[in-house]
Amino acid sequence: MTLNHQDQGGKNRYDAAIPALASSMRVRHALVLGLAVILLLATFVAAICYGSTAIPLQSVFGALTGQPANGNPDFDIVLSIRLPRAITACLAGAALSVAGLQMQTLMRNPLADPFVLGITSGASLGVALVVLASGSAIGAFLSSGMGLGGGFAIVGAATLGGLVVLAPVLAISSRLQNPSTVLIFGLMAGYAVSAFVTLLVAGARPDQLERWIAWGFGSFSAVTWTELQVLAPVALLGLAVACLSIKPLNALLLGENYARSMGLNTRAMRLVTMAVASMLAGVVTAFCGPIGFLGVAVPHMARAMLKSSDHRVLVPATILLGALTALLAQLVSLLPTNLGVLPLNAVTALIGAPVVVFVILRSRNGVFAG
């Protein structure tokens, strides 16, 4: 069957439009990623300059480039307080955002993230068991160096706690077709775990309780260089595995049947993704507290800016936007108010809640189409 002249002309125009559209999308993706890098660098410098006292840009660059301090106290503030805080914010924002992206892809649900699915609550339980139940001073890991052994013990406990909660949620999700039901199950599991944590807190000493509440507000400021020796390698390892999983994640977007037809071991992929997401959420929760909304909001921000669900660009964009959003939240929390430093969780909620509401209103029948 041959095409007439009109049909043939339409087909030619369609064929010619495909490369042009693909080229336009590549340009858009490059611009978005480039802009994100520029904004991240600018915000990183601003996060070091801004605090309880403003530090001149010249002093910041002098401290970062290793110039002699010559008695300048700004150098010590930059190197011992603000630089580790900014690095922590970047790592935590990127880790939580990528963990949220992995959960949304794995469960094909736009509202899935470590907080909603109970991973954060499970990580909090792991930390509570190690710190509160053992009777050790919680301040040892909140405000002073733990040493590498203690740091990895906290991270291991937080990761295991996240896995303990996430495993039954994923088992249930494989039998339920309604994504909303899975989210409700995850929330209920998180509440149950939080109840157990509350029992541990109820038996804590007053000094432990005070520090635990401060930890629950979330903060990037408590992480020292010693603790970064644990946080940074674990977070970077998880992000590296996520980057290596881009092709399988793209296959999972089209459904597990399609992924299996492409030769992907979906069971192993689910286990790896589950472990990596728990590790990323666990290490951040252990050192920075249970920070909400970044995991659910940032992936949607990246999709909206890129107009794509291709993980080849979505993963790096999520990493950059997660770090940028966390730095911005840190800066907002330091705004001068009568309350002093604002709780970080309150700031991330103000950023993330409107995004979640928009996603709910936009979604049709609660189904995630990628």
Side-chain angles (χ1 to χ4, degrees):
M1 181 177 180
T2 60
L3 295 174
N4 59 38
H5 180 72
Q6 184 178 0
D7 292 338
Q8 184 65 47
K11 181 179 183 299
N12 291 338
R13 287 192 298 272
Y14 177 76
D15 291 341
I18 293 177
L21 179 61
S23 177
S24 175
M25 291 300 293
R26 284 194 295 268
V27 170
R28 181 188 183 91
H29 295 163
L31 288 175
V32 169
L33 293 176
L35 180 61
V37 170
I38 294 172
L39 290 176
L40 178 59
L41 292 175
T43 309
F44 187 87
V45 174
I48 297 177
C49 292
Y50 182 77
S52 57
T53 59
I55 295 179
L57 195 59
Q58 182 179 359
S59 297
V60 171
F61 281 113
L64 296 181
T65 55
Q67 297 178 13
N70 295 327
N72 188 345
D74 290 344
F75 279 44
D76 185 58
I77 294 175
V78 168
L79 295 178
S80 62
I81 299 175
R82 297 193 182 176
L83 182 58
R85 182 175 67 190
I87 294 174
T88 299
C90 290
L91 291 173
L96 291 176
S97 301
V98 168
L101 174 63
Q102 290 178 313
M103 290 295 95
Q104 289 171 11
T105 301
L106 185 65
M107 303 192 69
R108 294 181 57 79
N109 192 305
L111 298 181
D113 86 319
F115 195 86
V116 175
L117 293 178
I119 300 178
T120 302
S121 298
S124 299
L125 173 61
V127 174
L129 287 173
V130 170
V131 178
L132 296 180
S134 65
S136 61
I138 192 170
F141 80 94
L142 287 176
S143 57
S144 64
M146 294 181 298
L148 295 182
F152 280 113
I154 291 291
V155 172
T159 301
L160 183 60
L163 282 171
V164 166
V165 176
L166 182 59
V169 173
L170 286 179
I172 292 294
S173 69
S174 64
R175 302 190 178 190
L176 298 176
Q177 298 298 322
N178 191 338
S180 299
T181 306
V182 177
L183 289 180
I184 292 173
F185 182 83
L187 285 172
M188 293 304 103
Y191 285 137
V193 171
S194 296
F196 188 73
V197 173
T198 302
L199 294 178
L200 292 176
V201 171
R205 299 192 306 269
D207 60 321
Q208 290 180 322
L209 180 60
E210 181 180 354
R211 296 190 180 101
W212 180 264
I213 293 174
W215 175 80
F217 286 156
S219 174
F220 301 135
S221 302
V223 179
T224 64
W225 284 115
T226 300
E227 293 164 346
L228 268 175
Q229 295 180 55
V230 180
L231 172 61
V234 175
L236 291 175
L237 175 62
L239 293 174
V241 174
C243 291
L244 294 174
S245 304
I246 285 175
K247 188 175 180 180
L249 288 174
N250 274 340
L252 286 174
L253 271 182
L254 300 175
E256 291 199 6
N257 291 334
Y258 173 81
R260 280 192 290 267
S261 70
M262 298 296 293
L264 178 66
N265 186 334
T266 56
R267 180 180 178 83
M269 184 60 197
R270 287 173 68 92
L271 291 175
V272 169
T273 303
M274 178 176 67
V276 171
S278 295
M279 181 175 69
L280 289 173
V283 70
V284 174
T285 302
F287 290 106
C288 306
I291 299 173
F293 285 98
L294 289 181
V296 66
V298 173
H300 290 295
M301 295 163 58
R303 290 188 188 97
M305 295 177 67
L306 294 169
K307 301 294 183 183
S308 173
S309 292
D310 187 347
H311 286 79
R312 289 176 296 180
V313 292
L314 193 55
V315 169
T318 300
I319 291 173
L320 293 172
L321 288 176
L324 175 60
T325 305
L327 281 173
L328 289 174
Q330 173 66 36
L331 284 171
V332 172
S333 71
L334 296 175
L335 290 176
T337 64
N338 295 332
L339 301 176
V341 177
L342 298 176
L344 187 63
N345 264 331
V347 179
T348 57
L350 291 174
I351 295 174
V355 177
V356 174
V357 172
F358 174 77
V359 171
I360 293 174
L361 295 177
R362 184 183 177 188
S363 63
R364 291 177 292 184
N365 300 323
V367 178
F368 180 41

